[in-house]
Amino acid sequence: MEKEEKTAIPAEKLSKILDIAQKRFARFGLAKTTMSDIADDLGVSKAALYYYFPDKECIFKKVMAREQGSFCGQMQNLLESNKKIDALLTDYIEHRIEYLKALLNLGQLTHEAFSATKPLYASLGKEFFEREKSMVAKLLQKGIDRKELQKINVDEYAGFFVHVLRSLRLYTLNLEELWKQGNIDKEIKKEYLFFTKIFLKSIEKL
Amino acid sequence: MEKEEKTAIPAEKLSKILDIAQKRFARFGLAKTTMSDIADDLGVSKAALYYYFPDKECIFKKVMAREQGSFCGQMQNLLESNKKIDALLTDYIEHRIEYLKALLNLGQLTHEAFSATKPLYASLGKEFFEREKSMVAKLLQKGIDRKELQKINVDEYAGFFVHVLRSLRLYTLNLEELWKQGNIDKEIKKEYLFFTKIFLKSIEKL
DNA sequence: AACTGACCTTTTAACAAAATTGGTCAAAAG
DNA sequence: CTTTTGACCAATTTTGTTAAAAGGTCAGTT
């Protein structure tokens, strides 16, 4: 299933391709962006793309990964900051929403298109889930070390926390009405914050 | 949109029809159960069914309502019991899972079929959501009156509680793997209980 | 090594034909 | 007057077919 590029792609050329591909993906989504489209925008032939990438999905994943990398970088900064646990969690939510917005933009604008691409998102999400969980776990561990939180099983709690966020997100993303209103991210953020409040209260040191 | 039956249906005949219809729905789901199927099982003609019910969806809804009524009855008993708030909530989860199992049975066995029926479930769920929310609200209010819980906005908290359960449920119901293993309800129950634990801790009186 | 145009194969789109099924109705049965 | 029926209609779903489009490969050019 997994293919790998034959050659190490020059960084400059890579980012150029990803930039142009990302614009197409943002406008038309994965399905309605053809390799010819990207190639044309780049001013090269379709075959040239296949010289650098094994398939279309690989380009899409690379674009996603770039966005993901940016988010993880911000999380790394958070982990190195001196903020208190409640600030850490709300900042995390803030970054998470920004990341979500980037993915949504990158996905497509319509609700139907999102539903169609869902399987791919799911497969990408699976890998990412573990990463996010471990970041949240570190965050919680920090709270414990600082005596701000009770001694809990950080892996279990982090896993559940991320799981609930995902469930809330996917449910809301399936509500067609909110897509049309165009404020899905606002709604999701509100739910995220409410849950975070509850979650935090339940594990705070008394 | 809403049609109403012309005549008051004799209770005995009604339950007979619902019983037979329910068996079909349980085996094949709403879409793949035809009116002729039900009529044949009943030993009458299709037109006879339409003498009692305006349309197929109405039969399905009646079957659902019967199940829902049973659940709401149990909740009523809970509200009149003397158990402590944590027992109330876990009992609620217990009944909720049983109700879910009934609906699943009533729905169909395959994952794909569930996705197809989703719109109808969604519309039914919308009405039910408010009812469930108000029941949970009463439950929480009981906890407050007994000084077991902090003074919170019961409507807000009940709404969010039910919303999270629904999100968790729908996410898990979309995991094809779990359907095949056949222990979806176990998995959902586990998540329900974990969330309930957190939720309760966050609003317990110290 | 970087790239192209022609080529192959698989997916998707579009459309029509056929079959199924939800729903109606006048008339019959009791 | 209540209940049931078989024939009938309209709308939806299913199926099959065909043409276009798009993903992906490759021998060969620059």
Side-chain angles (χ1 to χ4, degrees):
Chain A
M1 296 296 164
E2 295 281 322
K3 298 180 182 180
E4 32 183 307
E5 56 264 33
K6 307 148 193 173
T7 324
I9 310 170
E12 194 186 341
K13 189 155 276 179
L14 174 68
S15 79
K16 176 92 183 181
I17 296 176
L18 294 187
D19 285 344
I20 282 178
Q22 181 158 7
K23 279 180 189 162
R24 277 276 170 188
F25 289 140
R27 244 200 245 284
F28 307 105
L30 171 64
K32 301 217 165 177
T33 295
T34 72
M35 291 297 264
S36 304
D37 287 339
I38 301 174
D40 289 350
D41 286 355
L42 262 154
V44 297
S45 75
K46 185 176 63 167
L49 272 183
Y50 282 97
Y51 180 73
Y52 291 109
F53 293 93
D55 54 38
K56 187 167 81 162
E57 205 174 290
C58 186
I59 299 183
F60 190 72
K61 281 185 177 175
K62 276 270 197 311
V63 174
M64 301 272 286
R66 209 165 55 160
E67 223 58 57
Q68 182 178 319
S70 153
F71 168 64
C72 290
Q74 294 171 318
M75 285 298 289
Q76 204 54 45
N77 289 340
L78 252 193
L79 282 170
E80 291 162 6
S81 80
N82 289 319
K83 297 180 178 177
K84 288 186 181 168
I85 186 65
D86 59 338
L88 285 180
L89 277 177
T90 49
D91 276 11
Y92 160 63
I93 296 297
E94 201 79 44
H95 292 315
R96 192 58 177 79
I97 288 288
E98 288 308 312
Y99 175 52
L100 171 67
K101 279 160 77 174
L103 289 193
L104 286 182
N105 241 339
L106 200 152
Q108 49 279 317
L109 328 99
T110 69
H111 170 256
E112 308 79 56
F114 168 75
S115 300
T117 325
K118 210 160 39 176
L120 177 58
Y121 276 121
S123 95
L124 292 176
K126 215 162 195 174
E127 302 168 24
F128 184 56
F129 180 84
E130 290 301 323
R131 234 179 128 176
E132 191 175 8
K133 172 181 157 185
S134 92
M135 293 192 294
V136 173
K138 282 180 192 166
L139 213 142
L140 293 180
Q141 187 58 53
K142 203 169 175 179
I144 296 178
D145 294 342
R146 286 194 187 147
K147 320 282 186 192
E148 293 173 358
L149 297 182
Q150 305 166 25
K151 280 171 193 156
I152 53 174
N153 182 331
V154 288
D155 275 322
E156 187 187 22
Y157 274 73
F160 189 72
F161 185 76
V162 176
H163 175 60
V164 170
L165 294 195
R166 180 177 52 185
S167 297
L168 289 172
R169 181 172 65 243
L170 260 64
Y171 178 82
T172 304
L173 286 178
N174 268 309
L175 298 177
E176 298 186 39
E177 330 147 22
L178 288 178
W179 281 87
K180 287 164 189 165
Q181 295 177 230
N183 51 358
I184 300 199
D185 51 309
K186 293 262 173 61
E187 177 61 28
I188 294 180
K189 186 174 177 181
K190 210 169 63 186
E191 295 176 3
Y192 275 13
L193 289 175
F194 199 102
F195 176 64
T196 304
K197 183 176 78 176
I198 290 178
F199 182 78
L200 191 57
K201 267 197 180 179
S202 78
I203 56 174
E204 265 176 344
K205 204 145 197 175
L206 306 178
Chain B
M1 296 296 165
E2 294 281 323
K3 299 180 180 180
E4 31 184 307
E5 54 263 34
K6 308 149 194 174
T7 324
I9 311 170
E12 195 186 341
K13 189 156 275 180
L14 174 67
S15 78
K16 176 94 183 176
I17 296 177
L18 294 186
D19 283 345
I20 282 179
Q22 181 159 6
K23 278 180 189 162
R24 277 276 170 186
F25 289 141
R27 243 200 244 285
F28 307 105
L30 171 64
K32 301 217 165 175
T33 295
T34 72
M35 291 298 265
S36 305
D37 287 338
I38 301 175
D40 289 350
D41 287 355
L42 261 153
V44 298
S45 75
K46 186 177 65 168
L49 272 184
Y50 280 97
Y51 179 73
Y52 291 108
F53 294 92
D55 54 37
K56 187 167 80 160
E57 206 174 290
C58 186
I59 299 184
F60 190 71
K61 281 186 176 175
K62 276 267 197 309
V63 174
M64 300 274 287
R66 210 166 53 161
E67 223 58 57
Q68 182 178 318
S70 152
F71 168 64
C72 290
Q74 292 171 319
M75 284 299 289
Q76 205 53 44
N77 289 340
L78 251 194
L79 282 169
E80 291 162 5
S81 80
N82 288 319
K83 298 181 178 177
K84 287 187 181 165
I85 185 66
D86 58 338
L88 286 180
L89 277 177
T90 49
D91 276 11
Y92 160 63
I93 295 297
E94 202 79 44
H95 292 316
R96 192 59 179 78
I97 287 289
E98 288 308 312
Y99 175 53
L100 171 67
K101 278 161 78 174
L103 289 192
L104 287 182
N105 242 339
L106 200 149
Q108 49 280 320
L109 330 100
T110 68
H111 170 257
E112 308 80 57
F114 168 76
S115 300
T117 324
K118 212 160 38 175
L120 179 57
Y121 274 121
S123 96
L124 293 176
K126 215 162 193 173
E127 302 168 24
F128 185 54
F129 180 84
E130 290 301 323
R131 232 177 131 177
E132 191 175 7
K133 172 181 158 184
S134 92
M135 292 192 295
V136 172
K138 282 180 191 164
L139 215 142
L140 293 179
Q141 188 58 53
K142 203 169 177 181
I144 296 178
D145 294 343
R146 286 192 187 148
K147 319 279 185 195
E148 292 172 359
L149 297 182
Q150 305 165 27
K151 282 172 193 155
I152 52 174
N153 181 332
V154 288
D155 275 323
E156 187 186 23
Y157 273 74
F160 188 72
F161 185 76
V162 177
H163 175 60
V164 170
L165 294 193
R166 180 177 53 184
S167 297
L168 289 172
R169 181 171 65 245
L170 261 63
Y171 178 82
T172 304
L173 286 178
N174 267 309
L175 298 177
E176 298 186 39
E177 330 147 21
L178 288 177
W179 281 86
K180 288 165 189 165
Q181 294 177 230
N183 51 358
I184 301 201
D185 51 311
K186 292 262 175 60
E187 178 60 29
I188 294 180
K189 186 173 177 182
K190 212 170 62 185
E191 295 175 4
Y192 275 14
L193 289 176
F194 199 102
F195 176 64
T196 303
K197 183 177 78 177
I198 289 178
F199 183 78
L200 191 57
K201 267 197 178 178
S202 78
I203 57 174
E204 265 176 343
K205 203 146 196 173
L206 306 180

